[in-house]
Amino acid sequence: MPDQPLVTHVLATLGRGGAERLVIELAARLPARGFRTQVLVLFEHGELWRELRDRNIRWALVGGSLDMSRAELFRRLSRRLYPEPERRSGIVHTHLFGPDAWSSAARTLHNALHWIRGGCGAEPKFVSTAHNVDRDDSSLRRAARRWAARRMDRVIAVSEDVKRYVTEDLGARPDRVAVIDAIISPAVRPRGARPFRDVPQLIMVARLETQKGHDTVLRALAQVPPPWELTIIGVGSLERELKELAERS
């Protein structure tokens, strides 16, 4: 329906990850709340497009390969975010570094041109979800992340720790940051008085990268008396290092 607000989610790729899964669920469920949705993908990578197709979620590829000209990427994204006023989104929701930075840049340029020309038109509200704590950034990337965070109308943090990072490290105004817990807690079944007879099973699902803290989990569990079993599900650059750590722990 034309009177339904359009929410545009901006992602870097369609690779499998927590942010991408969250976007798919939001895009699939928001229509039941009275919103139209679409997903813009900056770079051609990943296979989650199949799920977007199967769940009838509208999406479009903005750029191409990861090495494409950033000037061309910026031009294409700007045209997507600022089409004719009657076709513009009510909300632009960005996820992760690239979409945050490039969308903020497109907004800044549009507002500057708008002021110079004295034109008018619908202006989307810009929202970013902060999915992680990224303190290992280079100085340039950190500066760009801070610049983008301060230009968002709202920032959603997935935890209280992430909120502290967004406000203290990135400088976002606290009154613009809200915490929406991204963890879905399963129902807890009360345990009887009998001791456990099965070996406790622990599962960790995350990319095998420093940010996820697998090494902390392995070192902590090494202090826990057996029996217990930990299953780690994920891929990444630290696979060999973590396997060696697990063997030593």
Side-chain angles (χ1 to χ4, degrees), residues 1-5 34 36:
M1 297 290 294
D3 58 341
Q4 291 180 314
R36 293 176 295 135

Side-chain angles (χ1 to χ4, degrees), residues 171-193:
R173 284 173 41 180
D175 62 327
R176 292 188 178 182
V177 183
V179 176
I180 300 179
D181 196 335
I183 299 176
I184 301 175
S185 300
V188 177
R189 180 178 299 175
R191 184 172 69 89

Side-chain angles (χ1 to χ4, degrees), residues 121-183:
E123 170 65 16
K125 295 295 184 182
F126 278 68
V127 178
S128 170
T129 289
H131 296 266
N132 305 298
V133 173
D134 295 288
R135 292 195 174 94
D136 297 328
D137 284 337
S138 66
S139 57
L140 180 61
R141 189 180 178 99
R142 182 183 181 84
R145 198 185 293 277
R146 287 172 60 88
W147 178 83
R150 295 177 181 186
R151 281 155 181 78
M152 294 292 172
D153 296 298
R154 291 289 186 272
V155 178
I156 300 169
V158 300
S159 70
E160 290 291 344
D161 285 340
V162 173
K163 179 180 179 180
R164 281 192 291 272
Y165 163 72
V166 170
T167 56
E168 297 174 7
D169 290 46
L170 302 187
R173 284 173 41 180
D175 62 327
R176 292 188 178 182
V177 183
V179 176
I180 300 179
D181 196 335
I183 299 176

Side-chain angles (χ1 to χ4, degrees), residues 107-118:
R107 183 188 199 187
T108 299
L109 177 61
H110 170 80
N111 288 344
L113 294 176
H114 174 84
W115 181 81
I116 293 171
R117 297 170 180 171

Side-chain angles (χ1 to χ4, degrees), residues 3 7 22 25 42 61 103 119 125 141 145 149 187 192 200 224 230:
D3 58 341
V7 180
L22 179 61
E25 292 304 321
L42 299 187
L61 180 64
S103 297
K125 295 295 184 182
R141 189 180 178 99
R145 198 185 293 277
V224 178
L230 170 66

Side-chain angles (χ1 to χ4, degrees), residues 191-197:
R191 184 172 69 89
R194 295 183 306 169
F196 284 116
R197 298 189 180 278

